[in-house]
Amino acid sequence: MHVFGLIGNPVGHSLSPPMHEAAYDELGLEARYVTFEPESADLESAIRGADALGICGLNVTIPFKRDVLEYVEPDDLAKRIGAVNTIDFGGEHPTGHNTDAAGALRALERGDADLEGARAVLVGAGGAGRAIAFALADAGAAVAIANRTESTAHDLAAAVPNATGHGLESLPDLLADADVLVNATSVGMDEDVSPVPAGALHADLVVMDAVYSPLETRLLREAADAGATTIDGAWMLLYQGVEALERWTGEAAPVEAMNDALRSTL
Ligand code: NAP
C-alpha cells in the first residue's frame, strides 16, 4: 500500500483526496491519499516522521508552504518561488517542489493562452501569486504584477525576470493592451466581488482565476460578458495535482478521471 497525502492546517475541506484517489483507481495503484493537520511547532517532526514511516509523497498547503523549505531539499524553482507545495520522499532525502507554477501554466495552455511574448497582468502577490509570476515569466511573458499592498508587488517584480510592480489602481492602464490576466488574490471567494474593474476587461484577453470556490467568480462572469476566454480555478488545482502525481508515481496521470472527480466535489 502506497500512502500519499496533504499536510496543512486546516485541511478538512481539501478537494485533493477524491481527485488523487480517482487516479489511483484508474491506474490500478494500491494507494491512499490522507490529510494531516499538525501544529506549526510540530512541522519538522511531522516531515521526519512521514519519511521514517515510508509515506511516498505529501502535498503542502497553508500555512506550511514556506516553512517546509527548511526540512526538504528544494529544487531551483521552489527556491526561487520561496515555497514548496509537493514533497517527494522517493529519494535518499525528501525533496521539495512547487507544482502550483506548472499547474497554472498547464491550465493556461488548456485555455489556449499563448504565453511566449505575451503581455500578462497578474493580480495578487501572495503565495499563489509568487508561483504564477515565475511560471508566466519562465514561459516567456512580460508580467505586470498588481497588488493591494503595492510594495509586495515591487518586491516580487524585483525577483521575477521581465516583471514590473504596480498598485491596483493601475489595472485599467495595464489591461488595455494585455493578452492574459490572472487573479491570484482571494477576492471573489467569500463575496461576489471582483478585484478588476469590469470596464477594463476586453475580448482579446484570456482570463484565469485561481479562486476555485465558487467556480464561476464575478471576475470570470464579467470577463465572459466582455468576450474574453475564461479559465476557472479548478484547472490550476487539477494540474498542480496532476504534476504532483506524475512526479510521485512516474506514470502519466489520468487527467480526465481526476478532473471528473474534482469537479464532482465542487
Ligand atoms: P495569500 O498568500 O494569503 O495571498 C492573498 C493575496 O490576495 C495577496 O496578494 C493579498 O494582497 C490579496 N488580497 C487579499 N484580500 C484582498 C482584498 N480585499 N483586496 C485586494 N487584494 C486582496 O493567499 P494565496 O495562497 O496566494 O491564495 C490566493 C487565492 O488563490 C486563494 O483564493 C486560494 O484559494 C487560491 N489558490 C488557488 C490555487 C489553485 O490551484 N487553483 C492554488 C493556490 C491558491 P495583500 O498582499 O495586499 O494582502
Side-chain angles (χ1 to χ4, degrees), residues 62 124-128 147-149 184-187 189 210-212 233 236-237:
I62 287 170
N147 196 49
R148 176 178 63 178
T149 309
T185 74
S186 46
V187 177
M189 211 162 67
V211 172
Y212 51 80
M236 177 175 162
L237 187 62

Side-chain angles (χ1 to χ4, degrees), residues 94-165:
T95 55
H97 312 275
N98 193 307
T99 69
D100 283 336
L105 276 191
R106 286 178 73 169
L108 283 162
E109 279 162 12
R110 184 140 181 170
D112 278 340
D114 186 4
L115 295 173
E116 180 64 51
R119 283 157 300 194
V121 175
L122 170 65
V123 196
R130 289 189 65 84
I132 295 168
F134 282 99
L136 290 168
D138 288 355
V143 192
I145 304 164
N147 196 49
R148 176 178 63 178
T149 309
E150 189 175 339
S151 58
T152 315
H154 288 295
D155 291 348
L156 179 55
V160 173
N162 207 5
T164 52

Side-chain angles (χ1 to χ4, degrees), residues 9 12 21 33 36 68 71 74 82 87 107 111 119 151 198 236 247:
N9 200 338
E21 295 204 338
Y33 188 97
F36 301 100
V68 87
Y71 311 123
I87 304 174
R119 283 157 300 194
S151 58
M236 177 175 162
R247 173 173 292 282

Side-chain angles (χ1 to χ4, degrees), residues 14 18 45 63 88 95 108 113 116-117 127 169 176 194 223 242 253:
S14 170
S45 37
D88 185 356
T95 55
L108 283 162
E116 180 64 51
E169 70 287 349
S194 168
V242 162

